[in-house]
Each structure stands twice: as C-alpha cells, then as structure tokens.
C-alpha cells in the first residue's frame, strides 16, 4: 500500500485531576485539566494488517499521559515537556507531536474557561528539541 502523506493518532480532551500549580492550594487539593495530543504516525501497514503492532496504540499513549499527570509539578510547561519526552522515548516511529494541557478554571481572578500550554514537536525540526 502507498504511504499516506499524513496519518495521525489522537486523544482529545482527556480529563485528569492533578496537583500541578505554583500555589500551595493547587498542589494540596489539585484541579481538573484537559489534555489533547495528536501524533504523526505512519500506520499504513495497520490499514492492511488490522494489527495494533503496526501502529501506536492510543490506549498506551493514554497510560503515558496518566503517568506524567500523576507527578506533581509547579509548571505545566514541565509536565508537557515530560509528556513529549515520554512519548518520543516509548514510540520512536512518531514523527510529530502536538500536545496541549489546559488547566480548567485557573485560580488567577479572571473569568476564564482555561489556561495552559501547547507544544508542537516534529522530527523534521532541527531547532531546540524537548527532552
């Protein structure tokens, strides 16, 4: 089969409760977060074989996200960087990662649905890499 130009595996708006934040209350009580990730993966073989071994399992990606969300950090930048590194280490066939973490209702005195960070990494970039 011909390789497709762009193939992606994604998880959208995965909700976690975690204790990330600069404020002591955030680290003690925690808050809710939404994580989304899109991975560039050539799964053209899986389209033919119907075998999960020929792709990246989004269930496995979820377990990595869950593991990193359980490690308390002050900054979402740190959490996002760890997630990207964990995905890259676990799945060397991934060619790009777009990952966002959104803190729901952040404690900053603003009427705001959420605030967060986004990382876009590509194996084609030669500039600063994550991890």
């Amino acid at each position: 089969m011909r390789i497709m130009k762009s193939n992606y595996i994604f998880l959208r708006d995965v909700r976690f409760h975690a204790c990330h934040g600069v404020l002591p209350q955030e680290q003690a009580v925690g808050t809710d977060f939404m994580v989304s990730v899109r991975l560039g993966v050539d799964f053209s073989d899986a389209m033919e074989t119907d075998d999960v071994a020929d792709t990246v399992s989004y269930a496995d990606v979820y377990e990595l996200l869950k593991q990193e969300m359980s490690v308390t950090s002050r900054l979402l930048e740190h959490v996002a960087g760890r997630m990207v590194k964990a995905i890259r280490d676990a799945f060397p066939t991934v060619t790009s990662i777009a990952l966002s973490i959104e803190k729901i209702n952040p404690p900053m005195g603003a009427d705001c649905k959420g605030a967060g960070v986004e990382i876009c990494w590509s194996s084609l970039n030669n500039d600063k890499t994550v991890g």
Side-chain angles (χ1 to χ4, degrees):
M1 172 177 258
R2 193 173 127 235
I3 294 177
M4 303 291 151
K5 182 175 174 152
S6 298
N7 300 324
Y8 300 100
I9 301 291
F10 67 90
L11 293 170
R12 184 177 299 134
D13 294 337
V14 181
R15 185 178 289 267
F16 293 99
H17 187 85
C19 297
H20 305 304
V22 175
L23 301 176
Q25 179 73 3
E26 293 177 293
Q27 292 194 2
V29 176
T31 192
D32 290 332
F33 296 85
M34 296 294 264
V35 176
S36 293
V37 64
R38 186 176 86 155
L39 309 177
V41 178
D42 178 3
F43 54 76
S44 55
D45 286 344
M47 292 167 59
E48 292 291 322
T49 66
D50 196 28
D51 187 343
V52 72
D54 291 328
T55 188
V56 171
S57 165
Y58 49 78
D60 292 342
V61 174
Y62 167 76
E63 288 301 324
L64 285 177
L65 300 178
K66 180 179 167 185
Q67 180 180 339
E68 294 303 331
M69 285 300 286
S70 72
V71 178
T72 299
S73 293
R74 294 170 47 90
L75 299 178
L76 292 182
E77 292 86 343
H78 188 246
V79 181
R82 287 196 328 259
M83 287 177 168
V84 168
K85 183 177 184 330
I87 291 167
R88 288 176 56 201
D89 289 349
F91 308 108
T93 60
V94 168
T95 59
S96 66
I97 303 170
L99 182 135
S100 65
I101 305 175
E102 180 180 353
K103 184 181 288 190
I104 307 302
N105 195 24
M108 59 185 191
D111 184 10
C112 174
K113 180 181 174 186
V117 299
E118 182 176 46
I119 293 178
C120 296
W121 172 85
S122 171
S123 62
L124 302 177
N125 292 344
N126 291 325
D127 57 336
K128 184 178 177 186
T129 60
V130 175

